[in-house]
PDB file of all heavy atoms in Angstrom:
ATOM      1  N   ARG A   1     122.582  88.341 104.372  1.00  0.00           N
ATOM      2  CA  ARG A   1     122.185  89.440 103.491  1.00  0.00           C
ATOM      3  C   ARG A   1     122.541  90.787 104.122  1.00  0.00           C
ATOM      4  O   ARG A   1     122.661  90.899 105.341  1.00  0.00           O
ATOM      5  CB  ARG A   1     120.706  89.354 103.145  1.00  0.00           C
ATOM      6  CG  ARG A   1     119.759  89.384 104.311  1.00  0.00           C
ATOM      7  CD  ARG A   1     118.365  88.876 103.902  1.00  0.00           C
ATOM      8  NE  ARG A   1     118.352  87.431 103.777  1.00  0.00           N
ATOM      9  CZ  ARG A   1     117.324  86.734 103.299  1.00  0.00           C
ATOM     10  NH1 ARG A   1     116.239  87.355 102.878  1.00  0.00           N
ATOM     11  NH2 ARG A   1     117.376  85.413 103.221  1.00  0.00           N
ATOM     12  N   ASN A   2     122.720  91.781 103.276  1.00  0.00           N
ATOM     13  CA  ASN A   2     123.176  93.079 103.762  1.00  0.00           C
ATOM     14  C   ASN A   2     122.042  93.840 104.462  1.00  0.00           C
ATOM     15  O   ASN A   2     120.907  93.361 104.569  1.00  0.00           O
ATOM     16  CB  ASN A   2     123.797  93.900 102.629  1.00  0.00           C
ATOM     17  CG  ASN A   2     122.811  94.241 101.514  1.00  0.00           C
ATOM     18  OD1 ASN A   2     121.597  94.248 101.719  1.00  0.00           O
ATOM     19  ND2 ASN A   2     123.342  94.548 100.343  1.00  0.00           N
ATOM     20  N   VAL A   3     122.371  95.043 104.940  1.00  0.00           N
ATOM     21  CA  VAL A   3     121.406  95.834 105.704  1.00  0.00           C
ATOM     22  C   VAL A   3     120.152  96.105 104.875  1.00  0.00           C
ATOM     23  O   VAL A   3     119.025  95.921 105.346  1.00  0.00           O
ATOM     24  CB  VAL A   3     122.057  97.155 106.157  1.00  0.00           C
ATOM     25  CG1 VAL A   3     121.009  98.111 106.722  1.00  0.00           C
ATOM     26  CG2 VAL A   3     123.152  96.883 107.193  1.00  0.00           C
ATOM     27  N   HIS A   4     120.322  96.521 103.634  1.00  0.00           N
ATOM     28  CA  HIS A   4     119.193  96.794 102.757  1.00  0.00           C
ATOM     29  C   HIS A   4     118.287  95.573 102.638  1.00  0.00           C
ATOM     30  O   HIS A   4     117.058  95.670 102.780  1.00  0.00           O
ATOM     31  CB  HIS A   4     119.685  97.225 101.372  1.00  0.00           C
ATOM     32  CG  HIS A   4     118.594  97.374 100.355  1.00  0.00           C
ATOM     33  ND1 HIS A   4     118.072  96.296  99.661  1.00  0.00           N
ATOM     34  CD2 HIS A   4     117.915  98.467  99.925  1.00  0.00           C
ATOM     35  CE1 HIS A   4     117.121  96.723  98.848  1.00  0.00           C
ATOM     36  NE2 HIS A   4     117.003  98.029  98.981  1.00  0.00           N
ATOM     37  N   ASP A   5     118.877  94.421 102.414  1.00  0.00           N
ATOM     38  CA  ASP A   5     118.080  93.216 102.197  1.00  0.00           C
ATOM     39  C   ASP A   5     117.449  92.684 103.476  1.00  0.00           C
ATOM     40  O   ASP A   5     116.401  92.031 103.427  1.00  0.00           O
ATOM     41  CB  ASP A   5     118.930  92.138 101.519  1.00  0.00           C
ATOM     42  CG  ASP A   5     119.235  92.473 100.064  1.00  0.00           C
ATOM     43  OD1 ASP A   5     118.623  93.423  99.537  1.00  0.00           O
ATOM     44  OD2 ASP A   5     120.093  91.801  99.466  1.00  0.00           O
ATOM     45  N   ASN A   6     118.065  92.967 104.629  1.00  0.00           N
ATOM     46  CA  ASN A   6     117.410  92.640 105.896  1.00  0.00           C
ATOM     47  C   ASN A   6     116.107  93.419 106.039  1.00  0.00           C
ATOM     48  O   ASN A   6     115.082  92.867 106.456  1.00  0.00           O
ATOM     49  CB  ASN A   6     118.335  92.968 107.075  1.00  0.00           C
ATOM     50  CG  ASN A   6     119.116  91.768 107.576  1.00  0.00           C
ATOM     51  OD1 ASN A   6     118.632  91.007 108.411  1.00  0.00           O
ATOM     52  ND2 ASN A   6     120.316  91.588 107.044  1.00  0.00           N
ATOM     53  N   LEU A   7     116.143  94.680 105.677  1.00  0.00           N
ATOM     54  CA  LEU A   7     114.948  95.515 105.780  1.00  0.00           C
ATOM     55  C   LEU A   7     113.952  95.188 104.673  1.00  0.00           C
ATOM     56  O   LEU A   7     112.734  95.163 104.900  1.00  0.00           O
ATOM     57  CB  LEU A   7     115.347  96.993 105.735  1.00  0.00           C
ATOM     58  CG  LEU A   7     116.329  97.449 106.819  1.00  0.00           C
ATOM     59  CD1 LEU A   7     116.600  98.940 106.707  1.00  0.00           C
ATOM     60  CD2 LEU A   7     115.839  97.098 108.210  1.00  0.00           C
ATOM     61  N   LEU A   8     114.467  94.902 103.488  1.00  0.00           N
ATOM     62  CA  LEU A   8     113.617  94.522 102.357  1.00  0.00           C
ATOM     63  C   LEU A   8     112.798  93.276 102.690  1.00  0.00           C
ATOM     64  O   LEU A   8     111.612  93.186 102.346  1.00  0.00           O
ATOM     65  CB  LEU A   8     114.480  94.278 101.123  1.00  0.00           C
ATOM     66  CG  LEU A   8     113.773  93.779  99.859  1.00  0.00           C
ATOM     67  CD1 LEU A   8     112.811  94.841  99.338  1.00  0.00           C
ATOM     68  CD2 LEU A   8     114.806  93.404  98.784  1.00  0.00           C
ATOM     69  N   PHE A   9     113.425  92.315 103.351  1.00  0.00           N
ATOM     70  CA  PHE A   9     112.749  91.064 103.723  1.00  0.00           C
ATOM     71  C   PHE A   9     111.493  91.350 104.551  1.00  0.00           C
ATOM     72  O   PHE A   9     110.429  90.772 104.314  1.00  0.00           O
ATOM     73  CB  PHE A   9     113.712  90.168 104.504  1.00  0.00           C
ATOM     74  CG  PHE A   9     113.105  88.890 104.997  1.00  0.00           C
ATOM     75  CD1 PHE A   9     112.997  87.786 104.175  1.00  0.00           C
ATOM     76  CD2 PHE A   9     112.629  88.793 106.301  1.00  0.00           C
ATOM     77  CE1 PHE A   9     112.428  86.601 104.628  1.00  0.00           C
ATOM     78  CE2 PHE A   9     112.055  87.624 106.767  1.00  0.00           C
ATOM     79  CZ  PHE A   9     111.959  86.520 105.927  1.00  0.00           C
ATOM     80  N   VAL A  10     111.616  92.265 105.511  1.00  0.00           N
ATOM     81  CA  VAL A  10     110.482  92.593 106.384  1.00  0.00           C
ATOM     82  C   VAL A  10     109.385  93.303 105.601  1.00  0.00           C
ATOM     83  O   VAL A  10     108.198  92.997 105.747  1.00  0.00           O
ATOM     84  CB  VAL A  10     110.947  93.465 107.565  1.00  0.00           C
ATOM     85  CG1 VAL A  10     109.762  93.944 108.387  1.00  0.00           C
ATOM     86  CG2 VAL A  10     111.910  92.678 108.446  1.00  0.00           C
ATOM     87  N   LEU A  11     109.773  94.250 104.764  1.00  0.00           N
ATOM     88  CA  LEU A  11     108.766  94.988 103.998  1.00  0.00           C
ATOM     89  C   LEU A  11     107.986  94.070 103.066  1.00  0.00           C
ATOM     90  O   LEU A  11     106.759  94.151 102.973  1.00  0.00           O
ATOM     91  CB  LEU A  11     109.440  96.120 103.212  1.00  0.00           C
ATOM     92  CG  LEU A  11     109.947  97.297 104.056  1.00  0.00           C
ATOM     93  CD1 LEU A  11     110.682  98.300 103.188  1.00  0.00           C
ATOM     94  CD2 LEU A  11     108.788  97.980 104.791  1.00  0.00           C
ATOM     95  N   LYS A  12     108.684  93.190 102.376  1.00  0.00           N
ATOM     96  CA  LYS A  12     107.994  92.270 101.469  1.00  0.00           C
ATOM     97  C   LYS A  12     107.097  91.310 102.245  1.00  0.00           C
ATOM     98  O   LYS A  12     105.997  90.977 101.801  1.00  0.00           O
ATOM     99  CB  LYS A  12     109.010  91.502 100.628  1.00  0.00           C
ATOM    100  CG  LYS A  12     109.646  92.353  99.527  1.00  0.00           C
ATOM    101  CD  LYS A  12     110.427  91.500  98.551  1.00  0.00           C
ATOM    102  CE  LYS A  12     110.868  92.310  97.348  1.00  0.00           C
ATOM    103  NZ  LYS A  12     111.608  91.489  96.358  1.00  0.00           N
ATOM    104  N   ALA A  13     107.568  90.877 103.421  1.00  0.00           N
ATOM    105  CA  ALA A  13     106.785  89.944 104.233  1.00  0.00           C
ATOM    106  C   ALA A  13     105.517  90.596 104.779  1.00  0.00           C
ATOM    107  O   ALA A  13     104.551  89.894 105.119  1.00  0.00           O
ATOM    108  CB  ALA A  13     107.627  89.413 105.380  1.00  0.00           C
ATOM    109  N   THR A  14     105.515  91.928 104.862  1.00  0.00           N
ATOM    110  CA  THR A  14     104.346  92.635 105.400  1.00  0.00           C
ATOM    111  C   THR A  14     103.551  93.342 104.303  1.00  0.00           C
ATOM    112  O   THR A  14     102.767  94.250 104.573  1.00  0.00           O
ATOM    113  CB  THR A  14     104.769  93.636 106.486  1.00  0.00           C
ATOM    114  OG1 THR A  14     105.809  94.497 105.986  1.00  0.00           O
ATOM    115  CG2 THR A  14     105.275  92.911 107.716  1.00  0.00           C
ATOM    116  N   GLY A  15     103.776  92.938 103.063  1.00  0.00           N
ATOM    117  CA  GLY A  15     102.879  93.353 101.997  1.00  0.00           C
ATOM    118  C   GLY A  15     103.293  94.522 101.131  1.00  0.00           C
ATOM    119  O   GLY A  15     102.527  94.958 100.269  1.00  0.00           O
ATOM    120  N   TRP A  16     104.500  95.050 101.325  1.00  0.00           N
ATOM    121  CA  TRP A  16     104.956  96.138 100.468  1.00  0.00           C
ATOM    122  C   TRP A  16     105.329  95.573  99.098  1.00  0.00           C
ATOM    123  O   TRP A  16     106.023  94.571  98.995  1.00  0.00           O
ATOM    124  CB  TRP A  16     106.167  96.846 101.073  1.00  0.00           C
ATOM    125  CG  TRP A  16     105.880  97.625 102.331  1.00  0.00           C
ATOM    126  CD1 TRP A  16     105.361  97.143 103.492  1.00  0.00           C
ATOM    127  CD2 TRP A  16     106.110  99.013 102.549  1.00  0.00           C
ATOM    128  NE1 TRP A  16     105.268  98.141 104.428  1.00  0.00           N
ATOM    129  CE2 TRP A  16     105.721  99.305 103.888  1.00  0.00           C
ATOM    130  CE3 TRP A  16     106.634 100.035 101.767  1.00  0.00           C
ATOM    131  CZ2 TRP A  16     105.819 100.578 104.430  1.00  0.00           C
ATOM    132  CZ3 TRP A  16     106.741 101.320 102.316  1.00  0.00           C
ATOM    133  CH2 TRP A  16     106.327 101.581 103.634  1.00  0.00           C
ATOM    134  N   THR A  17     104.911  96.244  98.033  1.00  0.00           N
ATOM    135  CA  THR A  17     105.163  95.727  96.679  1.00  0.00           C
ATOM    136  C   THR A  17     105.799  96.743  95.729  1.00  0.00           C
ATOM    137  O   THR A  17     106.446  96.358  94.755  1.00  0.00           O
ATOM    138  CB  THR A  17     103.855  95.234  96.033  1.00  0.00           C
ATOM    139  OG1 THR A  17     102.907  96.314  96.014  1.00  0.00           O
ATOM    140  CG2 THR A  17     103.268  94.060  96.818  1.00  0.00           C
ATOM    141  N   LYS A  18     105.634  98.023  95.973  1.00  0.00           N
ATOM    142  CA  LYS A  18     106.114  99.043  95.047  1.00  0.00           C
ATOM    143  C   LYS A  18     107.570  99.401  95.326  1.00  0.00           C
ATOM    144  O   LYS A  18     107.904  99.858  96.427  1.00  0.00           O
ATOM    145  CB  LYS A  18     105.233 100.287  95.121  1.00  0.00           C
ATOM    146  CG  LYS A  18     103.801 100.019  94.671  1.00  0.00           C
ATOM    147  CD  LYS A  18     102.953 101.272  94.691  1.00  0.00           C
ATOM    148  CE  LYS A  18     101.527 100.984  94.216  1.00  0.00           C
ATOM    149  NZ  LYS A  18     100.670 102.186  94.248  1.00  0.00           N
ATOM    150  N   SER A  19     108.419  99.189  94.342  1.00  0.00           N
ATOM    151  CA  SER A  19     109.869  99.332  94.510  1.00  0.00           C
ATOM    152  C   SER A  19     110.264 100.722  94.992  1.00  0.00           C
ATOM    153  O   SER A  19     111.120 100.868  95.873  1.00  0.00           O
ATOM    154  CB  SER A  19     110.589  99.018  93.203  1.00  0.00           C
ATOM    155  OG  SER A  19     110.374  97.672  92.838  1.00  0.00           O
ATOM    156  N   ALA A  20     109.659 101.751  94.445  1.00  0.00           N
ATOM    157  CA  ALA A  20     110.027 103.121  94.815  1.00  0.00           C
ATOM    158  C   ALA A  20     109.684 103.402  96.270  1.00  0.00           C
ATOM    159  O   ALA A  20     110.471 104.030  96.999  1.00  0.00           O
ATOM    160  CB  ALA A  20     109.318 104.118  93.899  1.00  0.00           C
ATOM    161  N   GLN A  21     108.526 102.930  96.720  1.00  0.00           N
ATOM    162  CA  GLN A  21     108.128 103.129  98.119  1.00  0.00           C
ATOM    163  C   GLN A  21     109.023 102.342  99.065  1.00  0.00           C
ATOM    164  O   GLN A  21     109.389 102.829 100.139  1.00  0.00           O
ATOM    165  CB  GLN A  21     106.666 102.730  98.301  1.00  0.00           C
ATOM    166  CG  GLN A  21     105.675 103.653  97.610  1.00  0.00           C
ATOM    167  CD  GLN A  21     104.234 103.211  97.806  1.00  0.00           C
ATOM    168  OE1 GLN A  21     103.968 102.144  98.366  1.00  0.00           O
ATOM    169  NE2 GLN A  21     103.292 104.018  97.340  1.00  0.00           N
ATOM    170  N   ILE A  22     109.377 101.125  98.667  1.00  0.00           N
ATOM    171  CA  ILE A  22     110.269 100.291  99.473  1.00  0.00           C
ATOM    172  C   ILE A  22     111.630 100.962  99.630  1.00  0.00           C
ATOM    173  O   ILE A  22     112.164 101.073 100.740  1.00  0.00           O
ATOM    174  CB  ILE A  22     110.423  98.896  98.834  1.00  0.00           C
ATOM    175  CG1 ILE A  22     109.130  98.088  99.011  1.00  0.00           C
ATOM    176  CG2 ILE A  22     111.606  98.141  99.434  1.00  0.00           C
ATOM    177  CD1 ILE A  22     109.109  96.775  98.258  1.00  0.00           C
ATOM    178  N   LYS A  23     112.187 101.424  98.532  1.00  0.00           N
ATOM    179  CA  LYS A  23     113.492 102.078  98.560  1.00  0.00           C
ATOM    180  C   LYS A  23     113.464 103.313  99.445  1.00  0.00           C
ATOM    181  O   LYS A  23     114.354 103.533 100.275  1.00  0.00           O
ATOM    182  CB  LYS A  23     113.913 102.453  97.147  1.00  0.00           C
ATOM    183  CG  LYS A  23     115.287 103.111  97.069  1.00  0.00           C
ATOM    184  CD  LYS A  23     115.676 103.403  95.622  1.00  0.00           C
ATOM    185  CE  LYS A  23     117.058 104.060  95.558  1.00  0.00           C
ATOM    186  NZ  LYS A  23     117.449 104.354  94.151  1.00  0.00           N
ATOM    187  N   ALA A  24     112.425 104.125  99.297  1.00  0.00           N
ATOM    188  CA  ALA A  24     112.313 105.358 100.077  1.00  0.00           C
ATOM    189  C   ALA A  24     112.182 105.063 101.565  1.00  0.00           C
ATOM    190  O   ALA A  24     112.773 105.760 102.401  1.00  0.00           O
ATOM    191  CB  ALA A  24     111.115 106.171  99.592  1.00  0.00           C
ATOM    192  N   ARG A  25     111.413 104.019 101.907  1.00  0.00           N
ATOM    193  CA  ARG A  25     111.208 103.708 103.321  1.00  0.00           C
ATOM    194  C   ARG A  25     112.494 103.194 103.961  1.00  0.00           C
ATOM    195  O   ARG A  25     112.800 103.545 105.110  1.00  0.00           O
ATOM    196  CB  ARG A  25     110.088 102.669 103.476  1.00  0.00           C
ATOM    197  CG  ARG A  25     109.699 102.399 104.939  1.00  0.00           C
ATOM    198  CD  ARG A  25     109.270 103.659 105.636  1.00  0.00           C
ATOM    199  NE  ARG A  25     108.902 103.435 107.033  1.00  0.00           N
ATOM    200  CZ  ARG A  25     108.939 104.367 107.980  1.00  0.00           C
ATOM    201  NH1 ARG A  25     109.321 105.600 107.680  1.00  0.00           N
ATOM    202  NH2 ARG A  25     108.587 104.092 109.220  1.00  0.00           N
ATOM    203  N   ILE A  26     113.240 102.381 103.241  1.00  0.00           N
ATOM    204  CA  ILE A  26     114.505 101.879 103.775  1.00  0.00           C
ATOM    205  C   ILE A  26     115.473 103.030 104.034  1.00  0.00           C
ATOM    206  O   ILE A  26     116.108 103.103 105.101  1.00  0.00           O
ATOM    207  CB  ILE A  26     115.115 100.834 102.819  1.00  0.00           C
ATOM    208  CG1 ILE A  26     114.295  99.538 102.872  1.00  0.00           C
ATOM    209  CG2 ILE A  26     116.581 100.547 103.182  1.00  0.00           C
ATOM    210  CD1 ILE A  26     114.709  98.491 101.858  1.00  0.00           C
ATOM    211  N   VAL A  27     115.568 103.939 103.099  1.00  0.00           N
ATOM    212  CA  VAL A  27     116.440 105.111 103.281  1.00  0.00           C
ATOM    213  C   VAL A  27     115.964 105.944 104.470  1.00  0.00           C
ATOM    214  O   VAL A  27     116.769 106.417 105.279  1.00  0.00           O
ATOM    215  CB  VAL A  27     116.476 105.967 101.996  1.00  0.00           C
ATOM    216  CG1 VAL A  27     117.174 107.298 102.256  1.00  0.00           C
ATOM    217  CG2 VAL A  27     117.176 105.212 100.872  1.00  0.00           C
ATOM    218  N   GLU A  28     114.653 106.084 104.604  1.00  0.00           N
ATOM    219  CA  GLU A  28     114.084 106.910 105.670  1.00  0.00           C
ATOM    220  C   GLU A  28     114.424 106.361 107.055  1.00  0.00           C
ATOM    221  O   GLU A  28     114.873 107.105 107.940  1.00  0.00           O
ATOM    222  CB  GLU A  28     112.570 106.986 105.490  1.00  0.00           C
ATOM    223  CG  GLU A  28     111.881 107.943 106.452  1.00  0.00           C
ATOM    224  CD  GLU A  28     110.386 108.066 106.180  1.00  0.00           C
ATOM    225  OE1 GLU A  28     109.850 107.257 105.380  1.00  0.00           O
ATOM    226  OE2 GLU A  28     109.759 108.960 106.772  1.00  0.00           O
ATOM    227  N   VAL A  29     114.215 105.053 107.258  1.00  0.00           N
ATOM    228  CA  VAL A  29     114.463 104.506 108.602  1.00  0.00           C
ATOM    229  C   VAL A  29     115.959 104.430 108.908  1.00  0.00           C
ATOM    230  O   VAL A  29     116.373 104.629 110.057  1.00  0.00           O
ATOM    231  CB  VAL A  29     113.785 103.127 108.801  1.00  0.00           C
ATOM    232  CG1 VAL A  29     112.282 103.264 108.737  1.00  0.00           C
ATOM    233  CG2 VAL A  29     114.295 102.090 107.816  1.00  0.00           C
ATOM    234  N   LEU A  30     116.782 104.152 107.901  1.00  0.00           N
ATOM    235  CA  LEU A  30     118.228 104.131 108.148  1.00  0.00           C
ATOM    236  C   LEU A  30     118.744 105.521 108.485  1.00  0.00           C
ATOM    237  O   LEU A  30     119.631 105.678 109.333  1.00  0.00           O
ATOM    238  CB  LEU A  30     118.964 103.556 106.939  1.00  0.00           C
ATOM    239  CG  LEU A  30     118.830 102.043 106.733  1.00  0.00           C
ATOM    240  CD1 LEU A  30     119.545 101.611 105.460  1.00  0.00           C
ATOM    241  CD2 LEU A  30     119.383 101.270 107.932  1.00  0.00           C
TER     242      LEU A  30
END
C-alpha cells in the first residue's frame, strides 16, 4: 500500500474514524 494507506492503517487501528481529521493528520505529519 502507498504512503497514505500506510499511515491510514495506523490511524484506523488506533481509533480514528472521521475522514476529514484523518486526511488532515496524514498531511500534517508528512
Side-chain angles (χ1 to χ4, degrees):
R1 59 197 76 188
N2 63 22
V3 169
H4 173 278
D5 289 349
N6 264 274
L7 302 182
L8 176 65
F9 177 83
V10 174
L11 289 176
K12 286 191 171 181
T14 52
W16 292 58
T17 57
K18 296 182 179 179
S19 297
Q21 291 179 354
I22 288 172
K23 182 177 180 180
R25 186 58 180 155
I26 288 173
V27 170
E28 186 176 11
V29 295
L30 287 177

